[in-house]
Amino acid sequence: MLAGGLSIALVLLLAPSALAGSIIPESGGSPAANHISNLYTITLYIAIVIFIGVEGTIVYCLYRFRARRGREAKQIHGNTRLEIGWTLGAAAIVVALATITFLDLHSIRDPSNSGPGGLDLSNGVQYETTGALKPPDGRALTIQVNGAQFYWRYTYLGVSSNADGLGDPYTYYQMVVPTNTTVVLKVVSQDVVHEWWVPQLGGKVQAVPGYVSETWFKIAKPGNYKGQCSFLCGRGHARMIAEVTAVSPQKYTSWLAQLQSNLTAADINDENCRKELAQGNGPQSVEFTKDC
Amino acid sequence: MATAVLRPAPQIVAHRVDPAPRGLMSWLTTTDHKRIGILYLVTSFVFFILGGTEALLIRLQLGEANNTLVTPEVYNQLFTMHGTTMVFLFIVPVLAGFGNYFVPLMIGARDMAFPRLNALSYWLFLAGGLVLYGSIFWSPPEAGWISTVPLATSTYLPSGGVDAWIYLVHLTGIASLLGAINFYVTIVNMRAPGMSWSRLPLFIWSIMAYSLLLIIAIPVIAGAVTMLLLDRHFGTHFFDTAEGGSALLWQNLFWFFGHPEVYILILPSFGIFSEVLPVFARKPIFGYKAIAASTMMIAFLGLLVWVHHMFTTPTPLVVIIFAMISSFLISVPTGIKIFNWVGTLWEGAIEFKTPLMFAVGGIALFTIGGISGVFLAMFPVDWQLSDTYFVVAHIHFVLVGGSVFGIVAGVYYWYPKISGRMMSETLGKWSFWLMFWGTLITFMIQHSLGLDGMPRRVYEYPDVGHLQLYNQISTVGSWILGLGVLLTVINVWRSLSHGTIAGPDPWKANTLEWFTPSPPPVNNFDEIPRVRSLEPMKDIRREVERQSKEGAGARPQVPGEVKVTA
Ligand SMILES: [Cu+2]
């Protein structure tokens, strides 16, 4: 046990980053995830010292004080100074942990401004400043994450002029975001409780029906970041997966425009199909002229 | 070598000793706390085997990526039944079993305060278990042991499984509530002469904390499941946010019960550690007052921390910070306990008997769960770890390492008292090592699974990275653990007929239950000894030794069948 603890400590000292996903949490996608990982790692060092201290002492006692010929147990009932000492020691560790949590809290919880090279949010492009969570300059891309049995739907808020957000473009399963841009997620649910979690981008938030949970990320590197629903939501829970794809702001803008026009075209097409269906004498007699 | 056999006092003072009744009817109608204790112990161990079997099936399904051994539906039912069984039908009642059997004996009482109420508690507990397990013939619950709404409402799970779960919570809840009141009244009113609060055995302190927590927590969960039942069948909307209720209300109510429940599950096991360690280290418990005080402190703080199960919900930050600070505070009295136990071993003369091994092994494993709990109390870190296998690992180090190892230590420690025979040390040690390594192998690697992004309660995972390897390690460990448990079950069964006769006090222990013959007579004590210290049996043995040295033939003043070898 002692040797195990020591070797873990040694490995940690040598290569902390290589251990994401086995000894420390995943990170690397977004500042929040990185800060959580740091906070965790500091705690882990303290934990290893306590672990080796306690378990080592137990093992030492079992060996050193085992019953054998001539061994008399010492009849003591306690040691007030020692007991006060370890109480204060435990309290001191707790205070230290609370302190480092508060020191890191701001950078984990509160969004920072978009970096240089991010999506230009200045001239009337889509962004929302409502909600509690926003960066200091108030400019962030806002995406609504809607959990449902058993899929995620992302609505890119503020694109259309509709106040209800119904005209905004949306995607399923895969979210596309621009790099170096602060993205605030408004996580909601339309049925049961779900939980949004993409480990490399940060912590999780529950999607509770009737509530809006908020979280944020800012991705520096283009790439795919995988996650999945982490709160039991029914039989399909394990397959409620998610993916966030980060691309350059230019690619993002053109992709969003394409998505928007695709959706509009599909809506118009759909509407025509419905009209045709309504004018016909029943489903059997309808001859679809369009791509219905 | 001179052996002085002291004549037992019962033969002198008892006017009328009823022979113990026999036969099935005597068990069905019994109000004897010892028999009710045995009923609790045996029944809850049957449920332990069922819950353990479910766990092994869960691990089998996860033994391979994309496995299709069970369907998603069955998988959800398996972990729901596993969690519900272990919490409501194994750990709580098995502790009630030990409490029933040993609270009166340890405080020098002849029965519990309300013997018939005590019998009612047991039968309600059994009814709860039968209702839950009856559902496996129709549709077992599948919303997890926490039955979170809205998943557990009739919209998403209309079948009767959740209803069976609700009735289980009600029936076992009333059983626990009545039992808790019974323990409380018994401990407050029926202690032996001289047994002041500062001479109360630590196991009794822990049963006191267990009872107080049950009395506070059970009404809350009873209210919550009643609301759920009304929502499901009578058109109310307590948990429907769209209709003016709140889906978060359920999580608050459930965890207000759920977190104290964890301490309900573990404090009596801590009490067993505190009884076993001094006996086998042949040394008084280190820091008695600190351990007793920390027990009550943990119980109190345990009522303030439920929001740490809800760090990822849309709950105001100030509430979350309060929950973090109070959770941190709990680690201080918990640490004090561990330090005091180590202090008890220090400078002792440790005898490696099976109860000692389970107690020390349990403390070593629980320490891991205690440390990982600190990570989870830091809410930004919990945002990564919550609802993953890291939490599964944490709770199993706490409940297997802490609770179950304490319970098994209790089985080996008290079996001679209950049955009159010793258990096999060889089988016991095999069982210990298998359970110890089984627990480590099964659950240590689950921390990594969680850190690697595997959520809990998923029936399948993709074959990427180390997921499959880690899961296979865990599955192998679970079977080692299961084998270890099986050896103890065999040991219990076999020792009933094969064990050597124990005598009243085979361990040379400290507390009053060892003053009675093994098994104790129906009325426990003909004459209740006066308690002069925390370790009355040590005083009695010393007194007997003194008298037998003073003069052979002089009839000793001390009652009880005490055999001294000098
Ligand atoms: Cu989900």
Side-chain angles (χ1 to χ4, degrees), chain B residues 93-122:
Chain B
V94 82
L95 296 172
F98 282 129
N100 259 297
Y101 203 103
F102 290 106
V103 165
L105 286 169
M106 287 172 94
I107 65 171
R110 292 197 170 96
D111 204 325
M112 297 280 283
F114 309 114
R116 276 177 291 184
L117 196 66
N118 201 18
L120 178 66
S121 293
Y122 168 76

Side-chain angles (χ1 to χ4, degrees), chain B residues 40-41 43-49 51 82-99 125 176 183 203 207 210 214 261-270 272 395-396 398-408:
Chain B
Y40 262 115
L41 291 169
T43 313
S44 54
F45 258 87
V46 170
F47 285 120
F48 182 42
I49 304 299
H82 167 72
T84 307
T85 302
M86 291 308 197
V87 169
F88 292 97
L89 296 175
F90 171 54
I91 302 183
V92 170
V94 82
L95 296 172
F98 282 129
F125 147 64
S176 295
F183 284 133
F203 177 71
I207 289 290
Y210 163 94
L214 281 169
E261 178 78 353
V262 176
Y263 294 108
I264 290 166
L265 300 176
I266 199 161
L267 286 175
S269 274
F270 285 176
I272 295 174
I395 197 63
H396 283 89
V398 171
L399 290 185
V400 178
S403 294
V404 175
F405 272 64
I407 289 162
V408 179

Side-chain angles (χ1 to χ4, degrees), chain A residues 1 8 20-27 33 36 39-40 43-44 47-48 50-51 54-55 57-58 60-63 65-68 71-79 82-83 86-87 90-91 94 97-98 100-102 105 108-109 149 190-193 195 197-206 208-213 228-239, chain B residues 72-73 76 79 142-144 146 148-151 156 241 246-248 251 281-288 290 312-314 317 321 324-325 328-329 331-332 336 338-340 342 345-352 356 360 363-365 367-368 371 374-375 378-388 390 436 447-448 450-460 470 535 538:
Chain A
M1 214 177 291
I8 290 171
S22 55
I23 294 184
I24 55 178
E26 301 269 5
S27 61
I36 291 175
L39 188 54
Y40 174 98
T43 315
L44 186 60
I48 288 171
I50 297 172
F51 175 81
V54 173
E55 307 284 7
T57 313
I58 291 176
Y60 174 79
C61 284
L62 291 180
Y63 176 75
F65 305 121
R66 67 189 189 280
R68 54 189 187 277
R71 165 127 212 109
E72 280 285 324
K74 201 171 174 185
Q75 300 300 306
I76 44 171
H77 293 265
N79 181 329
L82 185 64
E83 288 174 53
W86 65 42
T87 306
V94 162
L97 290 173
I100 58 167
T101 306
F102 286 122
L105 181 57
I108 294 169
R109 184 169 177 273
Q149 284 180 321
Q190 68 182 54
D191 44 38
V192 301
V193 176
E195 195 165 56
W197 187 35
V198 180
Q200 287 178 303
L201 300 184
K204 41 183 95 59
V205 283
Q206 276 187 24
V208 184
Y211 293 81
V212 180
S213 307
Q228 70 186 97
C229 175
S230 51
F231 197 98
L232 176 69
C233 55
R235 293 176 193 171
H237 170 49
R239 296 211 169 162
Chain B
E73 179 185 354
N76 288 4
F79 68 66
E142 51 177 299
I146 61 175
T148 307
V149 297
L151 182 62
Y156 301 100
T241 320
S246 167
L248 269 189
Q251 293 195 39
R282 318 255 38 116
K283 193 170 161 272
I285 188 81
F286 192 93
Y288 166 82
T312 63
T313 59
L317 186 65
I321 288 174
M324 174 181 81
I325 303 280
F328 274 163
L329 285 182
S331 61
V332 175
I336 289 174
I338 295 177
F339 298 148
N340 278 301
V342 177
L345 295 175
W346 192 266
E347 301 267 30
I350 301 164
E351 289 171 19
F352 283 83
L356 182 276
V360 175
I363 292 166
L365 294 171
T367 300
I368 299 174
I371 290 174
V374 173
F375 290 83
M378 303 172 81
F379 63 92
V381 174
D382 181 74
W383 288 340
Q384 277 288 13
L385 305 178
S386 174
D387 291 313
T388 69
F390 191 96
F436 182 79
H447 294 107
S448 297
L451 294 167
D452 206 8
M454 182 163 164
R456 63 194 301 190
R457 303 188 174 119
V458 290
Y459 66 89
E460 67 168 14
Y470 291 174
E535 297 164 323
K538 215 178 247 180

